[in-house]
Amino acid sequence: MPKLVLYHAAPSRSSIVHWMLEELGQPYELQMVSFKTGENRQPAFLAINPMGKLPALKHGDTVITEAAAICTYLADEFPQAGLNIPVGDPRRGTYLKWLFFGPSCVEPAITERAFPRKEPPSRTTLGFGDFDTVVDVLAKAAAAASPFLLGQKFTAADVIIGSGLRWGTMFKLLPERPEFKGYLAALAERPALRRATEKDVELQKAQEQAS
Ligand SMILES: N[C@@H](CCC(=O)N[C@@H](CS)C(=O)NCC(=O)O)C(=O)O
C-alpha cells in the first residue's frame, strides 16, 4: 500500500490534516518541517510544495497540498472510513459547499479581522463577502448541526469547518456566538481530535527543544 506522509509543524494548518489522518485510521508518517530554521523555504521542501507552506501530503508518488484539498482527497481515497459523501449522494453538494467554504470564506474572513485593511474593500469583490455574514452563516450552520454539519455522519467537512471555528474562537478572531457551543463541544468529543491535539503538544515541545 502506498505510504501516507504528512509534512507537518505543530501547531499549524497541517494540524487540520493531522486530525483528519487520525479520523482516517490508516497508518501514516509525520515528516516534521521547521519554520524556525526556514526548512519550508529550502529547495528540498519547495520541490514538494513550491508555495513553501504546510500542510503537504504525500501518498505514494502523489503530492497534495492545501488542507481542504488534502482532506477531500483522503475522504474519497479511503471511503471505508466513512468521512466522505460519495458522488451520486444528494448530500454531496452541501458537503462540498462546506469543504470549500472553509478556505474560501472562513479563512479569509478571519485573516481580514486579524489584519484589517486601511480601505475597506467592497463586499462584492471579496469572495467571502464580509466578516459578519460569514459569522452569521457559520452560526446558522452550527445551530443546525445535529450534531455534525451533515447530521449524524461526521465528515471531512467537519474537519475543515471545525478547525476554522476552533482556531478562530481560540484566538478570539471569531466571536463566541452561543450557536457555536454545541457544535464545538461535539467536535471536542472526537477521540481522533484529542489524539492529534495531544500528539501536537508533544511534537511542539520536541521541536522547541531541538531548535
Ligand atoms: N492555503 C494553505 C495555507 C497554508 C499555510 O499558510 N500554512 C502556514 C502554516 S499555518 C505556513 O506554511 N506558513 C509558512 C510560510 O508561509 O512560510 C492551506 O490551506 O493549506
Side-chain angles (χ1 to χ4, degrees), residues 12-14 35 40-41 51-55 65-68 103 107:
S12 78
R13 285 178 178 90
S14 57
F35 290 141
N40 58 313
R41 302 270 174 188
M51 291 291 285
K53 282 187 171 286
L54 298 173
T65 60
E66 299 301 319
E107 268 243 13

Side-chain angles (χ1 to χ4, degrees), residues 133-148:
T133 305
V134 171
V135 172
D136 282 345
V137 169
L138 283 174
K140 218 170 162 188
S146 65
F148 304 116

Side-chain angles (χ1 to χ4, degrees), residues 33-53:
V33 177
S34 168
F35 290 141
K36 213 169 184 174
T37 64
E39 210 181 342
N40 58 313
R41 302 270 174 188
Q42 297 298 316
F45 183 73
L46 292 175
I48 291 155
N49 185 2
M51 291 291 285
K53 282 187 171 286

